């Protein structure tokens, strides 16, 4: 005997009605997503980290998150790799910007500035162990996660990173390999640390930042600085393909006229990315596929449903994670 | 007489094994590292070892005597194994631990013996062994015989060693040939194209390779060609905290016996568990050609009849000798294990309902001729009486989108023939409309202009993201995708016939048959997309419904499907629905329990409003329930009961169906003259109260290959595992895509499997 189910009298707001699945199209679902390579990288690395970064620690969303304050605080921690990378970008962009104005900063000045910034981070971190409170001051030193989590080898690890940073800056300034970038980057039409915000025929927004770009003889060159060694991804780099999409969209150039290079300071290598319309087509599809995943997680994130974000619990990743202190699932993973 | 490919270790249930307990110490020990330590102990010291089931960081080593301390290390780990100095323990088959651990120890003891006494080689899994020399080479592809080894405890019988055999394919040439910088430009293009075909790069595949470093063979993946890069010019490598000036220096320092020169070409590949691609010597890397990517002429090569398989395995056991487990056991039975009569079952094929109330009865006898007739009748009745259920509002116009390069002739013939086939199946008038295109975006635009949503047979061109684009940009459309090359191949058969084996004459009749077979298969897929039910069974064994849960092979998606099949006095009497969802935590095997709960409940909300609660449900996990999945499932069931989809007192059972079972068990019937044949479909063996193995395919519709059984495991959640087996067999009778041939999987499992494959085919993997 058939009967009408009471369930349907008042279907929960977030559940679909019979027959057809969710009526919103896939394109509509991703239209509010802002894709960036770094967001995708976090999502790929650890979903729980992704929650803390984009929902739990975000003031405007996941309002029911009970630990919002702590998560927001942890979000401001930086590990040595992230911080030295940030300083490298700051130093190179400042050099190029000044050079554009005709002011040339020499290697010593750049190196001592970078060293100074990172040394301040180290001493601040050392003195703030156990009593760190993040401030909103613009140029306040960073709290390094290695010290926050009391890694006994924090200092030596950070000093090693500092050496790498110094070597990278020296290499940027002296190595003939990079002379083209120093020269062309200082010219009037170059873009330095330019923000990307485009919809390259994708319903979602593509967000990011281009380290350096310039046009010469209708050929566009895009450069990405990396402190480390070659990652070997080469022609399979989605990050570089996204720069290609930006160039096609914003500079109205052909894919084939774009040269994208990744500069690896540690191995002193420039890796070129072969840009063509086929690879950009793939990149567009990949970005939309990522955005679909992000859109799928959006509801759980906004509702602060942390359990829907599986923790990766991988020692090597957790040891670099700022959220170790809040992540119950990885309590057993320590720096020891 | 039903026989298996299992050999029982002597002395059956009286087998016992002495083990030593050893402690594992080292930084950041994980379950994988403990397993790794067991693996290294086996390969270096030829001793079988397993992780202790109860004590963390402890392993059990099959030995009566004290073990010397062992230090083991790898690329990024190190550990020490020390004997606990406790007295040796005797594991027997009378206790739980013994039943669980002795099979693993026996399997590993056998692997250790094989490693010392044969030329077989392994790749990633020690359980899969390959013969040293290929059995033949064709089209630049070398076929190697492979053996897969497993073990099983059979109640009241003992421990069985299971060995299966198959064929694996590798490129004949190494990557040094495909990316030889010395070859001229034309040759270079040809070789590169051939390589890309072998790895299916055009489909966005990563390309699986095999790397032989002279000591072991490892699976790796193609990254990019590096013309001109040699072992001496790779640049600095940093491995295990050591710097090497080049790959050549690395090899010389760590692997001096490897035969490479400074100018040996190098290639970049990626390895599992390593974030960065690495250069390796290109002449030490080959392509692993997946069976599904073999050229047409080689497609049947991996099919082995039961009799051939049996003979190959008899030969293999002969080579292993009388004591293949070394000191662990006195020997092994000389014959394959034959289950007793009370363990064997045979399900009859249930009656099937077709259009206009026509019924195909259960075959009158368990015989090949009766079953052959039955399958022939399925196809005939479908054409004669039409489908069991056709939605009244089914769309009557379908579009056929094709790339202009295919040619109008082929597209038109396909569309017209398809319309006529669909008409036969649905008994409704069907018309087709052609849409030609230069690129996918253009096709999508045209289709959108023509209709808001509809049915399209989309002949896809080679654009790498074509499938995804089509699915994404055409929401609400039902899309049957066909590759352009498939249409071309079949259209050529129709136009020019099929060449005979000697390649001298062509048969137009065979060509026509191939074309119409292709059209009718496509039509059967199209009607399923249009929610047509071709034919159905009355019930699923004792269950009204089955819920299937499956995770895709790359773990990027999971799928759930629900099959309801019950008398029509209940609403609905019959329904199949499925849904695929992202599995964003793709590094995890388990489905997140919160998400699993949500997706199961969301699936039910797609059922009609008028609905009689389910009184029985069998939940089938394709694979294994992992981690907290049962929690998610339990929460979903609570919700579904609370909302009235499932009655409060419903019978709910859970089983796991291992379709790619690690135990590689095969069944065959051996006649008086010792010739093995496939058993009739629906034949199975109840291994114990929790486990059955059965074949849904087999005689008479599988003439060339050996039936591939499925293993059903109850794990304490199913009161009668035979009921679950019967439901699986009934579910497999809805072989809608190919009515003449038995189907291996339950229709719900087939649905989830296909949905997952379809989503996976849309994924762009290359860019990361
Ligand atoms: S500690 Fe580990 S599991 Fe937890 S959020 Fe960080 S990376 Fe993820």
């Amino acid at each position: 005997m058939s009967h009408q189910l009471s369930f349907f009298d008042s279907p929960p707001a977030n559940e679909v009605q019979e027959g057809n699945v969710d009526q919103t199209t896939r394109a509509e679902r991703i239209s509010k997503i802002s894709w960036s390579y770094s967001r995708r990288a976090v999502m790929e690395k650890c979903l729980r980290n992704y929650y803390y970064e984009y929902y739990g620690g975000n003031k405007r969303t996941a309002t029911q998150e009970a630990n919002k304050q702590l998560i927001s605080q942890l979000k401001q921690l930086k590990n040595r790799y992230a911080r030295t990378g940030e300083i490298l970008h700051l130093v190179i962009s400042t050099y190029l910007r000044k050079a554009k104005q005709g002011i040339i900063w020499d290697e010593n000045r750049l190196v001592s500035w970078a060293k100074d910034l990172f040394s301040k981070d180290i001493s601040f971190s050392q003195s703030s162990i156990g009593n760190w409170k993040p401030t909103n001051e613009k140029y306040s030193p960073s709290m390094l996660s290695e010290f926050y989590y009391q890694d006994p080898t924090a200092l030596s690890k950070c000093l090693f990173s500092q050496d790498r940073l110094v070597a990278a800056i020296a290499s940027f300034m002296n190595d003939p390999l990079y002379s083209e970038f120093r020269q062309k980057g200082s010219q009037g039409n170059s873009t330095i640390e330019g923000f990307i915000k485009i919809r390259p025929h994708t319903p979602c927004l593509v967000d990011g930042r281009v380290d350096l770009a310039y046009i010469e003889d209708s050929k566009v060159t895009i450069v990405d600085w990396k402190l480390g060694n070659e990652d070997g991804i080469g022609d399979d780099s989605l990050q570089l393909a996204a720069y290609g999409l930006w160039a096609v969209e914003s500079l109205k150039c052909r894919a084939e006229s774009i040269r994208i290079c990744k500069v690896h300071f540690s191995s002193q290598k420039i890796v070129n990315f072969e840009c063509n319309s086929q690879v950009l087509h793939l990149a567009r599809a990949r970005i939309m596929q990522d955005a679909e995943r992000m859109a799928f997680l959006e509801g759980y994130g906004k509702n602060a449903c942390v359990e829907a974000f599986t923790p990766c619990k991988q020692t090597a990743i957790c040891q670099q994670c700022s959220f170790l202190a809040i992540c119950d699932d990885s309590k057993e993973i320590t720096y020891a | 007489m039903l026989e298996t490919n299992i050999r029982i270790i002597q002395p059956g249930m009286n087998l016992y094994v002495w083990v030593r307990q050893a402690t594992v110490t080292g930084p950041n020990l994980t379950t994988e590292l403990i397993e790794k330590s067991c693996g290294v102990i086996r390969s270096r010291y030829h001793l079988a070892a397993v992780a202790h089931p109860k004590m963390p960081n402890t392993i059990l080593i099959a030995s009566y005597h004290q073990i010397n301390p062992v230090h083991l290390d790898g690329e990024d780990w190190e550990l020490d194994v020390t004997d606990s100095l406790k007295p040796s323990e005797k594991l027997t088959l009378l206790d739980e631990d013994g039943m669980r651990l002795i099979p693993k120890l026996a399997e590993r003891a056998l692997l250790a013996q094989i490693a010392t006494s044969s030329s077989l080689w392994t790749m990633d899994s020690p359980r899969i062994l390959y013969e040293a020399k290929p059995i033949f080479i064709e089209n630049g592809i070398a076929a190697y015989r492979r053996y897969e080894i497993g073990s099983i405890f059979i109640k009241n019988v003992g421990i069985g060693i299971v060995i299966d055999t198959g064929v694996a394919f590798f490129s004949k040439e190494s990557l040094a040939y495909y990316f030889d910088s010395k070859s001229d430009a034309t040759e270079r293009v040809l070789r590169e194209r051939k390589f890309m075909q072998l790895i299916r790069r055009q489909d966005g595949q990563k390309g699986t390779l095999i790397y032989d470093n002279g000591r072991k063979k490892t699976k790796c993946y193609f990254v990019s060609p590096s013309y001109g890069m040699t072992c001496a010019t790779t640049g600095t490598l940093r491995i295990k905290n050591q710097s090497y000036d080049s790959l050549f220096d690395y090899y010389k320092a760590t692997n001096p016996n490897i035969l490479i020169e400074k100018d040996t070409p190098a290639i970049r590949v990626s390895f599992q568990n390593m974030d960065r691609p690495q250069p390796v010597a290109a002449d030490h890397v080959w392509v692993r050609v997946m069976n599904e990517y073999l050229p047409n002429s080689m497609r049947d090569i991996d099919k082995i009849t039961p009799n051939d398989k049996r003979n190959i395995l008899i030969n293999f056991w002969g080579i292993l000798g009388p004591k293949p487990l070394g000191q662990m056991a006195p020997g092994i039975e000389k014959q394959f294990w034959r289950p007793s009569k009370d363990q064997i079952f045979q399900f009859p094929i249930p009656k099937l309902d077709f259009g206009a109330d026509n019924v195909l009865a259960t075959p009158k006898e368990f015989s090949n001729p009766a079953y052959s007739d039955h399958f022939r009748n399925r196809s005939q009745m479908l054409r004669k009486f039409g489908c069991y259920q056709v939605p009244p509002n089914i769309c009557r116009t379908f579009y056929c989108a094709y790339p202009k390069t295919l040619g109008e002739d082929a597209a038109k013939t396909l569309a017209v023939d398809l319309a006529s086939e669909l008409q036969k199946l649905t008994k409704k008038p069907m018309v087709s409309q052609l849409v030609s295109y230069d690129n996918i975006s253009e096709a999508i635009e045209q289709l959108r202009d023509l209709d808001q949503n509809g049915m399209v047979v989309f002949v896809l061109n080679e654009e790498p993201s074509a499938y995804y684009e089509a699915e994404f940009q055409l929401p609400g459309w039902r899309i049957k995708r066909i590759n352009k090359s498939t249409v071309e191949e079949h259209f050529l058969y129709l136009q020019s016939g099929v060449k005979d084996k000697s390649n001298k004459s062509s048969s137009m009749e065979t060509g026509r048959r191939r074309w119409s077979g292709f059209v009718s298969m496509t039509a059967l897929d199209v009607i399923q997309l249009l929610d047509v039910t071709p034919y159905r069974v009355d019930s699923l064994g004792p269950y009204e419904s089955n819920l299937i849960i499956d995770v895709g092979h790359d773990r990027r998606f999971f799928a759930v499907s629900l099959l309801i099949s019950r008398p029509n006095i209940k609403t609905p009497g019959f329904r199949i629905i499925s849904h695929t969802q992202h599995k964003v935590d793709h590094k995890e095997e388990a489905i997140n329990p919160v998400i699993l709960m949500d997706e199961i409940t969301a699936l039910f909300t797609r059922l009609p409003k008028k609905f009689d609660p389910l009184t029985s449900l069998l939940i089938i996990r394709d694979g294994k329930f992992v981690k907290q999945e049962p929690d998610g499932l339990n929460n979903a069931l609570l919700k579904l009961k609370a909302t009235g989809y499932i009655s409060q007192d419903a019978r709910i059972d859970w089983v796991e169906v291992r379709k790619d079972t690690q135990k590689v068990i095969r069944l065959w019937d051996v006649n008086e003259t010792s010739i093995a044949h496939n058993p009739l479909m629906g034949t199975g063996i109840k291994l114990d109260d929790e486990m059955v193995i059965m074949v849904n395919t087999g005689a008479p519709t599988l003439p060339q290959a050996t039936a591939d059984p499925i293993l059903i495991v109850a794990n304490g959640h199913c009161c009668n595992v035979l009921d679950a087996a019967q439901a699986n067999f009934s579910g497999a009778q809805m072989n809608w895509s190919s009515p003449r041939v038995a189907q291996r999987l339950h229709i719900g499992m087939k649905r989830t499997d296909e949905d997952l494959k379809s989503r996976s085919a849309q994924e762009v993997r290359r860019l990361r």
Side-chain angles (χ1 to χ4, degrees), chain A residues 106-299:
Chain A
D106 65 12
E107 182 193 335
N108 282 344
R109 184 166 180 186
L110 293 175
V111 166
S112 62
W113 182 34
K115 259 179 139 174
D116 185 49
L117 283 173
F118 197 56
S119 303
K120 278 188 182 142
D121 293 338
I122 294 175
S123 18
F124 172 75
S125 302
Q126 280 173 320
S127 62
S128 308
I129 295 176
N131 60 12
W132 171 63
K133 287 262 167 347
T135 65
N136 289 329
E137 278 172 44
K138 209 173 167 194
Y139 298 108
S140 65
S142 296
M143 181 72 197
L144 298 166
S145 58
E146 287 81 358
F147 290 97
Y148 181 87
Y149 287 112
Q150 301 182 25
D151 174 0
T153 57
L155 184 61
S156 61
K157 282 176 180 164
C158 288
L159 291 176
F160 183 75
S161 291
Q162 192 176 47
D163 290 346
R164 269 195 356 161
L165 172 66
V166 167
I169 296 170
S171 169
F172 169 74
M173 292 299 287
N174 300 318
D175 201 323
L177 195 63
Y178 313 126
S179 61
E180 180 197 336
F181 304 140
R182 290 194 298 270
Q183 232 180 58
K184 305 277 159 50
S186 317
Q187 286 170 4
N189 70 352
S190 70
T191 302
I192 301 159
E193 299 280 324
F195 283 99
I196 297 177
K197 245 191 198 346
I198 45 163
R199 285 185 202 270
H201 299 286
T202 55
C204 60
L205 195 71
V206 175
D207 220 334
R209 197 194 290 202
V210 168
D211 292 346
L212 172 65
Y214 51 84
I215 306 175
E216 197 182 45
D217 301 332
S218 66
K219 190 145 184 92
V220 178
T221 300
I222 302 172
V223 189
D224 189 52
W225 313 119
K226 292 273 181 253
L227 194 46
N229 286 309
E230 281 167 87
D231 51 17
I233 296 177
D235 282 348
D236 295 343
S237 168
L238 179 59
Q239 185 185 15
L240 300 192
Y243 295 152
L245 288 174
W246 165 77
V248 169
E249 191 73 10
S250 310
L251 309 174
K252 307 284 173 239
C253 56
R254 280 178 44 248
E256 285 70 18
S257 68
I258 306 169
R259 168 190 170 218
I260 311 178
C261 328
K262 219 187 235 189
V263 172
H264 296 276
F265 285 114
S266 284
S267 49
Q268 289 165 317
K269 278 257 160 67
I270 299 172
V271 178
N272 288 309
F273 172 82
E274 199 196 314
C275 191
N276 54 47
S277 48
Q278 209 192 29
V279 83
L280 295 191
H281 223 79
L282 277 181
R284 220 173 269 132
R286 182 65 261 169
I287 287 171
M288 294 203 290
Q289 288 171 357
D290 288 347
E292 287 200 79
R293 287 179 162 75
M294 291 169 184
F296 166 63
L297 295 169
E298 191 83 347

Side-chain angles (χ1 to χ4, degrees), chain A residues 1-2 5 7-8 16 18-19 44-45 230-232 235-236 238 286 289 292 296 300 307-308 310, chain B residues 276-277 468 556 571 581 585-587 592 598 605-608 612 643 645 762-764 766-768:
Chain A
M1 178 69 182
S2 301
L5 286 170
F7 180 66
F8 292 108
V16 287
E18 75 110 349
E44 285 286 298
K45 201 170 59 178
E230 281 167 87
D231 51 17
D235 282 348
D236 295 343
L238 179 59
R286 182 65 261 169
Q289 288 171 357
E292 287 200 79
F296 166 63
Y300 292 106
E307 298 81 18
T310 317
Chain B
R276 277 147 203 245
Y468 176 70
R556 290 194 173 265
T571 307
Q581 190 51 275
D585 52 355
H586 59 91
K587 286 183 199 144
N592 180 293
D598 285 353
T605 59
R606 285 173 48 192
L607 290 166
D612 286 311
T643 47
Y645 282 106
Q762 295 172 42
E763 279 284 291
V764 174
R766 215 188 102 185
L767 295 175
R768 60 210 152 94

Side-chain angles (χ1 to χ4, degrees), chain A residues 46 48-49 52 311-314 317-318 321 323-324 327 330:
Chain A
C46 172
R48 183 61 62 86
N49 190 326
Y52 293 137
C312 75
K313 288 200 245 177
Q314 286 184 13
I317 298 176
C318 296
C321 175
F323 301 105
L324 206 52
C327 184
S330 296

Side-chain angles (χ1 to χ4, degrees), chain A residues 52-118:
Chain A
Y52 293 137
E53 193 73 43
Y54 293 94
Y55 300 101
N58 185 331
K59 288 203 181 70
R60 282 168 303 186
T61 186
T63 46
Q64 297 147 45
E65 172 56 60
N67 295 311
K68 190 157 283 282
Q69 206 188 340
L70 176 58
I71 301 172
S72 315
Q73 182 175 343
L74 296 174
K75 200 176 154 180
Q76 295 187 43
L77 290 175
K78 283 176 186 146
N79 68 30
R80 61 192 187 282
Y81 300 115
R83 181 60 180 147
T84 48
E86 196 176 83
I87 296 175
L88 175 80
H89 281 78
L90 175 70
V91 168
I92 295 181
S93 62
T94 307
Y95 167 83
L96 295 173
R97 281 199 187 105
K98 291 281 174 199
K100 262 188 173 190
Q101 299 161 13
I103 308 161
I104 303 296
W105 282 21
D106 65 12
E107 182 193 335
N108 282 344
R109 184 166 180 186
L110 293 175
V111 166
S112 62
W113 182 34
K115 259 179 139 174
D116 185 49
L117 283 173
F118 197 56

